[in-house]
Amino acid sequence: MITARTLPPGARLDATQIKLARDAQAADGHLALVASDLGCETEEEALAAVGEVLGLEVVDLSTVEVDLGLLKDFPLKLIHRHGIFPIRIEKGSVVVATGNPFDLHALDAVGAATGKSVLPVLAVPDELAKLIKAHLGVGAETIDGLMAQDEQRHGNVEMLEEIDWNQSEASEMVQQASVVRLVNEILEEAVETRASDIHIESQAKGLKIRYRIDGVLQKQTLPSELNRFSAAIISRLKIMARLNIAEKRLPQDGRIKLKVAGREVDVRVSIIPMLHGEGIVMRVLDKDRMQFSLRGVGMDEDTYARFNRLIQLPHGIILVTGPTGSGKTTTLYSALNEIKNEDTKIITTEDPIEYQLEGINQIQVHTKVGLTFASSLRAILRHDPDVVLVGEIRDLETAENAVQASLTGHLVFSTLHTNDAAGAFMRLIDMGVEPFLVSSTVEGIMAQRLVRTLCRECCESYLPRSEDLPDDFPVAELRESGQRILRPVGCRQCRGTGYSGRLGIYELLVADDEIRRLAGERVGSNVIKQAAMKAGMRTLRHDGWRKVLRGKTTIDEVLRVTKAD
């Protein structure tokens, strides 16, 4: 049964308002700009008001059960051309969702093509676009255009070997406009869905595209015809990143600067030759979406207070640890934003510079010409800085220079790849830094992970059974509070995942006399961790459970990114 939405209260639209609605939909297919003139607050309410006058039902496509079998015999060109979608067969008629009830030509075309009577229902145009994209794939409409071009050029001639159109100027001129549009659609979809990475993989069966959204890879539906244009897509991306399109044997790295929906977006491109062709991974850096604030990254108030005291120190080393993609750079940038002022000179050396920070001097590492972390750090110290950020301590030379900088009165921020905070001491010592230097210069270490936050539109509360909870979950605290925890459900707002956005979980180790003594004696990281916990350190796992109890995330998310203490 198709679910109808509640119609907005008030009188029916008059003839003038209906004409206004018809003109608006003829102009851009939407009612959003004229909703207030129709006495409605949203486009959804405006569509319902029009539907009431025309006797048409409004449906919620996120709850409607769609019969995908209809797509086999349904003319796909009509779907793209008119923005419609077949829902089901009902009493011999085909139920078709449309965002424009005034487009009678579309309904007539469906009837002529299917030989069935048409029963139209109304749906919000943006929801229809999402439904079309979900089942027909990103760029499906553009693929139809490319296929039409291909048929016009070759007719019934079958190509036995693919032409490298990049080396044919005529072929490039024919295909360029549509390929540009197709690649732009892939990039736009990534930005709209808040993807942090785009994975384009060449496989034996064709091209595969996945977006990493909130830290988890999600496969993107694609039209099967896209595989015929995979070489064009990869070459177009190479051109955009200013890479050599003829080089297909060696890895290449580049950068694309875009403006999507008025927002500046940087895309870091990495291309590696694989077994079945070239694989591309693009890191999407949406500048306008990023806000570097320590209070905005998910720190609890007590953790924020302790970390804030650390970053106000006049000298020493502060490390942020965690795997790739755990938010280390965001935490460091947020810390720098917290302490920057006209009295403090801050210089960073990074590889690469992900975001440009106002009021902070940033250096891009360039290993090929000898500008490494170590060499740039030596040069930075001659520029009289107060605070230095080293993107990553990777080797002994960089580690020794960071230690030397802290000993000469500078506050040094950097990152390490360790599993927990306590492991940073042993990592530096294993690199070759003297234990007494490590113990005397490292002031604090922040280990962190990112967990997905629950979608507020669809999450539900429940009381878990004791046997379903991990052994270290604070069951007593849950029972004492008498509250329930939340779990994901999935809705159209979160693309059915049940999650929307991410926040950090943190493990902050502040070096005290006991921890410095243990580090100087080169004891194991487990001993240092136990000493830090006795001094009040909250582990990653414990911080994760706190955020579960507060309804921010789920047990499964904490289990996904942490291990038991």
Side-chain angles (χ1 to χ4, degrees):
M1 185 67 183
I2 296 177
T3 304
R5 294 177 177 171
T6 303
L7 296 177
R12 291 162 62 94
L13 302 181
D14 57 30
T16 302
Q17 290 174 313
I18 288 294
K19 183 179 184 304
L20 184 65
R22 182 188 293 111
D23 293 343
Q25 293 216 302
D28 66 358
H30 290 269
L31 294 175
L33 296 179
V34 298
S36 58
D37 296 323
L38 302 182
C40 303
E41 294 184 358
T42 64
E43 181 178 24
E44 188 174 354
E45 290 183 358
L47 196 66
V50 172
E52 184 180 22
V53 173
L54 301 180
L56 297 178
E57 183 181 21
V58 181
V59 299
D60 183 348
L61 293 179
S62 65
T63 61
V64 169
E65 186 176 346
V66 178
D67 183 1
L68 297 180
L70 294 177
L71 292 177
K72 295 179 181 179
D73 301 318
F74 199 89
L76 300 185
K77 291 182 180 179
L78 293 181
I79 294 178
H80 299 308
R81 187 176 299 133
H82 299 287
I84 60 177
F85 202 90
I87 301 295
R88 58 186 289 180
I89 298 294
E90 187 174 293
K91 297 180 180 178
S93 299
V94 55
V95 179
V96 175
T98 177
N100 184 359
F102 304 106
D103 188 3
L104 301 180
H105 176 69
L107 304 179
D108 290 340
V110 172
T114 62
K116 299 179 182 295
S117 59
V118 179
L119 177 61
V121 293
L122 300 183
V124 177
D126 287 345
E127 292 183 8
L128 266 171
K130 290 179 182 178
L131 185 67
I132 293 170
K133 198 171 289 183
H135 295 297
L136 298 183
V138 175
E141 185 176 2
T142 304
I143 286 294
D144 283 349
L146 278 171
M147 292 295 291
Q149 289 182 8
D150 202 50
E151 291 168 3
Q152 290 172 6
R153 285 198 309 274
H154 303 298
N156 294 323
V157 176
E158 183 179 357
M159 303 297 297
L160 298 178
E161 186 174 347
E162 184 180 3
I163 296 176
D164 188 354
W165 61 269
N166 294 293
Q167 313 211 356
S168 167
E169 292 184 7
S171 182
E172 181 177 354
M173 290 175 62
V174 170
Q175 300 204 54
Q176 185 176 11
S178 290
V179 171
V180 167
R181 181 179 172 188
L182 178 58
V183 171
N184 287 347
E185 285 185 26
I186 293 172
L187 294 171
E188 287 171 11
E189 175 71 3
V191 173
E192 289 175 5
T193 57
R194 301 177 295 103
S196 61
D197 300 88
I198 307 169
H199 293 242
I200 301 179
E201 300 161 328
S202 298
Q203 300 186 340
K205 295 182 179 179
L207 214 58
K208 179 179 180 181
I209 297 181
R210 293 187 289 176
Y211 295 155
R212 189 176 294 279
I213 302 173
D214 293 334
V216 178
L217 282 173
Q218 298 182 19
K219 185 178 179 180
Q220 186 65 40
T221 305
L222 299 171
S224 59
E225 294 84 1
L226 181 137
N227 297 325
R228 297 177 57 178
F229 308 100
S230 58
I233 293 170
I234 293 173
S235 294
R236 170 61 185 169
L237 287 168
K238 283 185 175 181
I239 291 171
M240 294 175 72
R242 294 180 174 84
L243 301 177
N244 183 357
I245 63 173
E247 179 58 72
K248 300 182 180 180
R249 300 165 300 173
L250 297 174
Q252 298 187 72
D253 294 309
R255 195 163 192 163
I256 303 171
K257 291 187 177 181
L258 302 171
K259 182 170 279 190
V260 180
R263 303 204 305 268
E264 285 192 18
V265 178
D266 273 1
V267 181
R268 283 169 23 203
V269 182
S270 175
I271 301 179
I272 298 178
M274 303 283 188
L275 177 61
H276 299 291
E278 292 174 288
I280 302 180
V281 174
M282 294 179 281
R283 169 64 58 87
V284 181
L285 304 171
D286 190 342
K287 296 181 179 180
D288 292 344
R289 181 172 285 133
M290 292 302 298
Q291 295 182 348
F292 299 109
S293 165
L294 283 179
R295 293 188 181 276
V297 296
M299 285 187 194
D300 290 339
E301 197 61 36
D302 55 346
T303 303
Y304 167 78
R306 296 172 68 205
F307 190 64
N308 194 49
R309 285 195 294 271
L310 278 177
I311 65 178
Q312 303 292 340
L313 293 174
H315 54 78
I317 297 176
I318 298 172
L319 299 172
V320 179
T321 76
T324 301
S326 60
K328 299 188 297 297
T329 300
T330 301
T331 297
L332 287 173
Y333 281 0
S334 300
L336 295 183
N337 266 340
E338 192 91 2
I339 62 176
K340 73 175 182 181
N341 55 55
E342 292 300 323
D343 302 329
T344 303
K345 180 160 186 177
I346 303 174
I347 306 180
T348 75
T349 174
E350 306 170 58
D351 183 23
I353 296 174
E354 294 193 0
Y355 297 96
Q356 298 176 22
L357 302 177
E358 187 69 28
I360 294 174
N361 305 280
Q362 295 172 273
I363 299 172
Q364 169 68 58
V365 166
H366 201 328
T367 308
K368 291 182 179 178
V369 297
L371 186 61
T372 62
F373 280 128
S375 62
S376 60
L377 182 52
R378 286 196 300 271
I380 285 172
L381 296 181
R382 294 193 288 272
H383 271 243
D384 187 30
D386 298 294
V387 178
V388 176
L389 184 150
V390 183
E392 183 183 347
I393 295 178
R394 297 175 178 171
D395 51 42
L396 174 59
E397 186 180 7
T398 307
E400 287 180 335
N401 288 345
V403 168
Q404 188 61 36
S406 70
L407 290 173
T408 53
H410 303 88
L411 183 61
V412 180
F413 291 89
S414 192
T415 69
L416 276 178
H417 287 289
T418 61
N419 291 326
D420 57 15
F425 290 103
M426 288 301 102
R427 178 61 57 86
L428 291 174
I429 293 171
D430 288 343
M431 284 183 183
V433 183
E434 291 294 337
F436 75 92
L437 289 176
V438 174
S439 64
S440 61
T441 56
V442 175
E443 297 292 341
I445 305 154
M446 174 79 83
Q448 67 179 74
R449 300 289 189 275
L450 291 177
V451 293
R452 291 182 292 174
T453 53
L454 282 157
C455 173
R456 292 296 151 187
E457 299 293 327
C458 64
C459 62
E460 65 178 16
S461 63
Y462 78 109
L463 191 62
R465 298 179 302 174
S466 298
E467 56 267 29
D468 294 334
L469 294 172
D471 293 338
D472 59 343
F473 188 85
V475 179
E477 188 175 342
L478 177 65
R479 299 289 186 257
E480 287 174 10
S481 65
Q483 64 186 15
R484 300 158 71 90
I485 60 177
L486 301 178
R487 61 185 172 192
V489 176
C491 66
R492 64 184 178 189
Q493 295 293 334
C494 59
R495 294 168 59 96
T497 63
Y499 298 95
S500 179
R502 290 188 290 176
L503 84 163
I505 56 175
Y506 300 94
E507 176 178 295
L508 178 58
L509 188 156
V510 179
D512 58 17
D513 291 341
E514 176 64 13
I515 289 173
R516 293 186 194 280
R517 182 186 67 80
L518 293 173
E521 295 175 357
R522 302 188 64 160
V523 301
S525 59
N526 285 337
V527 178
I528 295 177
K529 182 175 183 177
Q530 292 301 320
M533 291 172 66
K534 287 180 181 179
M537 182 186 79
R538 186 166 59 245
T539 65
L540 286 168
R541 188 83 155 197
H542 187 193
D543 194 41
W545 295 145
R546 281 172 54 125
K547 288 180 169 64
V548 170
L549 293 173
R550 292 177 183 176
K552 299 290 187 182
T553 188
T554 64
I555 292 174
D556 289 342
E557 275 298 289
V558 176
L559 293 175
R560 182 174 67 87
V561 301
T562 66
K563 64 178 184 178
D565 298 319

